[in-house]
């Protein structure tokens, strides 16, 4: 994310500055010292979709647009479905050259997306984004493996085959590499996160291709941003 140009903000002389804590917390003291009215949100650290809805209503209430905020929240709810399942999912956020990997624990947003889509996060008993070894993935008994693309699809698959070939998900051909917009939907909590639930459900039910890029997401999830 680009750094804030505070001098340019000063020139604009805004009535209020809406600031995301997870992105620009370091700028808050400076902006406060300059006398700006700040509306600080924290969606970047949301741990579930309910918290995103809460942040939407926080902004709507500040600007006296409660009705519009409620419409957005209602739209989000209309896009969600009650999926129930027990598919064991492992999500690899990053693979190191030696096969160690970062994953999502049970207290982060990605875990909520996996559970809402009808899956079970095999590392849901851990916290934050732990660094684990290939042996941890093996004993997890994951039946579906979702991996963020490492540079390109071919290199990502080579890492998976080199280090995780004995994992059930790999042996059964249930490896899904995500890139572009599909990563953004899952990793970046927002109004559009409702589509991440549908994306994960398509993955764990075998409806999605094994390489999911931005083009596939746009063509198959019918993504649109609600405006009220």
């Amino acid at each position: 994310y680009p750094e804030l140009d505070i001098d340019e903000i000063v020139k604009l002389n805004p009535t209020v500055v809406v600031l995301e804590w997870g992105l620009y917390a370091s700028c808050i003291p400076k902006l406060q010292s300059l006398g700006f009215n700040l509306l600080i949100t924290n969606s970047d650290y949301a741990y579930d979709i309910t918290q995103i809805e809460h942040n939407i209503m926080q902004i709507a209430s500040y600007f006296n647009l409660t009705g519009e905020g409620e419409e957005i929240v209602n739209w989000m709810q209309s896009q969600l479905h009650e999926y129930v399942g027990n598919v064991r999912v492992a999500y690899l956020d990053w693979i190191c050259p030696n096969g160690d990997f970062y994953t999502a624990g049970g207290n982060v947003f990605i875990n909520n997306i996996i559970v809402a889509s009808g899956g079970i996060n095999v590392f849901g008993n851990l916290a934050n984004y732990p660094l684990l070894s290939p042996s941890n993935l093996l004993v997890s008994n994951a039946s579906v493996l979702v991996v963020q693309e490492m540079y390109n699809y071919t290199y990502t698959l080579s890492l998976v085959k080199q280090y995780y070939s004995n994992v059930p998900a790999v042996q059964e051909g249930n490896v899904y590499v995500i890139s572009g917009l599909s990563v953004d939907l899952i990793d970046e909590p927002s109004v559009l996160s409702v589509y991440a639930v549908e994306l994960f459900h398509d993955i764990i039910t075998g409806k999605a291709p094994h390489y999911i890029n931005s083009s596939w997401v746009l063509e198959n999830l019918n993504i649109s941003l609600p405006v009220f």
Side-chain angles (χ1 to χ4, degrees):
Y1 297 96
E3 293 186 6
L4 288 183
D5 189 330
I6 294 180
D7 291 336
E8 290 299 317
I9 295 176
V10 171
K11 292 177 183 178
L12 293 171
N13 192 29
T15 303
V16 60
V17 177
V18 182
L19 194 71
E20 172 59 34
W21 175 276
L23 301 179
Y24 298 114
S26 62
C27 298
I28 292 175
K30 178 64 175 178
L31 290 169
Q32 288 176 328
S33 71
L34 292 171
F36 285 112
N37 293 318
L38 301 183
L39 173 56
I40 301 171
T41 62
N42 197 18
S43 292
D44 206 49
Y45 285 98
Y47 49 81
D48 59 21
I49 288 178
T50 299
Q51 191 172 0
I52 295 173
E53 295 170 347
H54 173 78
N55 290 339
I56 290 170
M57 292 309 303
Q58 174 196 4
I59 297 171
S61 297
Y62 185 94
F63 290 105
N64 197 28
L65 296 170
T66 304
E68 288 82 349
E70 290 175 347
E71 288 191 82
I72 293 175
V73 170
N74 290 337
W75 175 85
M76 291 177 66
Q77 289 295 321
S78 72
Q79 302 300 309
L80 295 171
H81 302 85
E82 294 185 9
Y83 295 121
V84 179
N86 58 359
V87 179
R88 297 181 60 81
V89 179
Y91 184 83
L92 276 57
D93 198 53
W94 183 265
I95 303 176
C96 302
N98 66 348
D100 290 348
F101 61 92
Y102 288 92
T103 187
N107 65 332
V108 300
F109 184 73
I110 296 170
N111 176 78
N112 178 253
I113 295 298
I114 294 173
V115 173
S117 68
I120 296 173
N121 179 7
V122 296
F123 299 115
N125 61 316
L126 303 177
N128 302 322
Y129 295 93
L131 176 62
L132 303 177
S133 69
S135 61
N136 294 122
L137 186 58
L138 179 61
V139 300
S140 75
N141 198 32
S143 56
V144 172
L145 183 61
V146 181
V147 186
Q148 285 197 25
E149 185 178 47
M150 302 289 106
Y151 306 114
N152 59 67
Y153 179 65
T154 301
Y155 178 65
T156 306
L157 280 187
S158 70
L159 290 175
V160 170
K161 293 176 181 179
Q162 180 179 357
Y163 294 110
Y164 317 130
S165 59
N166 292 325
V167 175
V170 180
Q171 293 184 332
E172 296 166 10
N174 294 327
V175 177
Y176 296 85
V177 178
I178 60 175
S179 68
L181 185 55
S182 59
V183 174
D184 295 338
L185 291 175
I186 295 168
D187 280 5
E188 304 293 339
S190 72
V191 174
L192 298 181
S193 295
V194 293
Y195 292 110
V197 176
E198 197 66 29
L199 171 60
F200 248 106
H201 184 69
D202 284 351
I203 289 173
I204 66 179
T205 56
K207 298 177 182 178
H210 291 279
Y211 180 56
I212 305 170
N213 57 17
S214 297
S215 297
W216 186 89
V217 170
L218 291 172
E219 292 172 5
N220 292 273
L221 296 185
N222 298 317
I223 291 178
S224 62
L225 184 64
V227 178
F228 297 102

